[in-house]
Amino acid sequence: MNEKIAVVTDSTTYLPDEVKEQLRIHVVPLSVIIDGKSYREGEELSAADFYQKVKEAESFPTSSQPAPGEFIQLFETLKEQGFDTVISIHLSSGISGTFQNAASAGTLIEGLNVVAYDSELSCMAQGMFAVKAAEMALANEPLDNIIQELDKIKQAQNAYFMVDDLNNLQRGGRLNGAQALVGSLLQIKPILHFNDKQIVLFEKVRTQKKALKRIEDILQTAIQNKTAEKAYVIHGNDPEKGEAWLAHLEAKFPEVIFELSYFGPVIGTHLGEGALGLTWSIK
């Protein structure tokens, strides 16, 4: 008898609604707090509205993770619907307590096997795990096979991004390393990435053009190593910039499938408007 597996993730994947519906991916939202008011990401606040509200805000926005009770409620519902197992995939435990809250909640549900999976990244890098897990669950693949496939994606995966201003990351406490301040003073374009679940400075580059070229060089190496079959360009409320880079990458690397995604409210709180990123892995 096949076990019935449900896939849960959080709102920082920024998966399109049609993908979530088609693959039956359950989403627990994180929240952003603007001028003392809390908004559930994706439910009470869209990305476009978020960036507009931040411009008008009197204070620096912050984000908050879902309470364990939200996970307990969802897991109980999934159990009632006949699921035996839940794979709960979340943004890096190095920048949020969401993964830990999901893992803790999972231990409290009797008769349901909850496997919490730390993506060690966020946005569509995390979304790639949720999509793969859901596709395999719908195909009745066993849990062990799904986790092995997620681990293969993690081994191949990489993500690099640039921000227009490092202040958001510093004020939000999400950037490791005091050298970041020097970067903002020198008006350079820092390239950031995740290392050991944390956001750290990868390299300092003088212009955005050079930064994009540097990321493309890293992608080229990944393609040669057969670890970049699908990629996402991710933008912070600047679809024109995202689409322009996407078109350039599609022409330069026709062997890779490229798609466009975005930095929504929670991640936008830390990266700020105008951020641009690229993530890739195996399909």
Side-chain angles (χ1 to χ4, degrees):
M1 181 178 150
N2 283 332
E3 59 194 322
K4 200 176 171 193
I5 300 173
V7 174
V8 170
T9 190
D10 58 70
S11 57
T12 65
T13 54
Y14 307 119
L15 286 165
D17 288 341
E18 60 271 21
V19 171
K20 290 182 284 192
E21 287 166 21
Q22 184 184 350
L23 296 178
R24 300 175 202 167
I25 296 170
H26 305 267
V27 177
V28 177
L30 278 76
S31 297
V32 291
I33 299 97
I34 305 171
D35 288 344
K37 186 172 181 186
S38 179
Y39 303 87
R40 286 162 71 87
E41 178 177 60
E43 293 182 2
E44 300 170 335
L45 189 65
S46 70
D49 288 344
F50 163 75
Y51 287 106
Q52 186 55 43
K53 281 183 183 295
V54 167
K55 284 175 189 161
E56 300 161 359
E58 294 175 11
S59 59
F60 184 74
T62 56
S63 61
S64 68
Q65 65 214 31
E70 287 216 48
F71 286 107
I72 291 170
Q73 195 173 1
L74 175 58
F75 294 159
E76 287 282 13
T77 300
L78 292 171
K79 180 185 168 186
E80 287 166 12
Q81 290 173 358
F83 288 99
D84 313 296
T85 301
V86 171
I87 304 172
S88 205
I89 299 164
H90 299 290
L91 76 163
S92 176
S93 60
I95 63 169
S96 172
T98 304
F99 164 79
Q100 192 52 55
N101 282 1
S104 299
T107 64
L108 302 175
I109 314 297
E110 284 186 25
L112 184 71
N113 178 25
V114 177
V115 180
Y117 194 88
D118 187 349
S119 74
E120 303 184 16
L121 291 158
S122 187
C123 301
M124 266 313 300
Q126 173 192 346
M128 286 173 144
F129 293 110
V131 166
K132 177 56 75 174
E135 287 173 345
M136 294 182 73
L138 286 173
N140 294 319
E141 292 276 357
L143 175 65
D144 287 353
N145 287 15
I146 297 174
I147 297 300
Q148 281 174 18
E149 201 60 36
L150 298 188
D151 288 344
K152 282 182 194 171
I153 290 171
K154 188 180 279 188
Q155 284 295 112
Q157 196 169 54
N158 232 324
Y160 294 88
F161 48 102
M162 301 167 298
V163 294
D164 277 350
D165 184 353
L166 286 167
N167 286 332
N168 288 44
L169 275 165
Q170 288 174 306
R171 289 169 73 177
R174 295 304 195 280
L175 180 61
N176 272 15
Q179 77 267 41
L181 183 60
V182 178
S184 57
L185 293 174
L186 292 175
Q187 294 299 301
I188 60 143
K189 283 288 174 191
I191 300 173
L192 306 169
H193 72 148
F194 277 87
N195 185 35
D196 194 23
K197 304 177 188 177
Q198 306 274 345
I199 298 172
V200 298
L201 197 60
F202 173 70
E203 225 168 75
K204 296 178 188 176
V205 185
R206 284 283 170 196
T207 64
Q208 186 177 87
K209 188 178 178 183
K210 286 183 178 174
L212 294 177
K213 175 69 168 64
R214 180 71 180 99
I215 294 171
E216 288 169 23
D217 289 345
I218 302 167
L219 173 61
Q220 175 80 69
T221 302
I223 292 168
Q224 289 166 353
N225 293 335
K226 294 186 168 45
T227 57
E229 296 170 344
K230 184 160 190 179
Y232 289 86
V233 171
I234 311 171
H235 68 88
N237 203 37
D238 195 341
E240 286 183 10
K241 194 198 295 186
E243 284 165 5
W245 196 25
L246 179 79
H248 168 75
L249 290 167
E250 283 181 327
K252 189 172 180 179
F253 305 109
E255 63 272 60
V256 180
I257 298 166
F258 290 96
E259 290 191 31
L260 192 67
S261 188
Y262 63 95
F263 295 114
V266 168
I267 302 302
T269 294
H270 305 296
L271 299 187
E273 195 168 20
L276 198 58
L278 185 68
T279 183
W280 61 78
S281 187
I282 55 175
K283 285 189 276 193

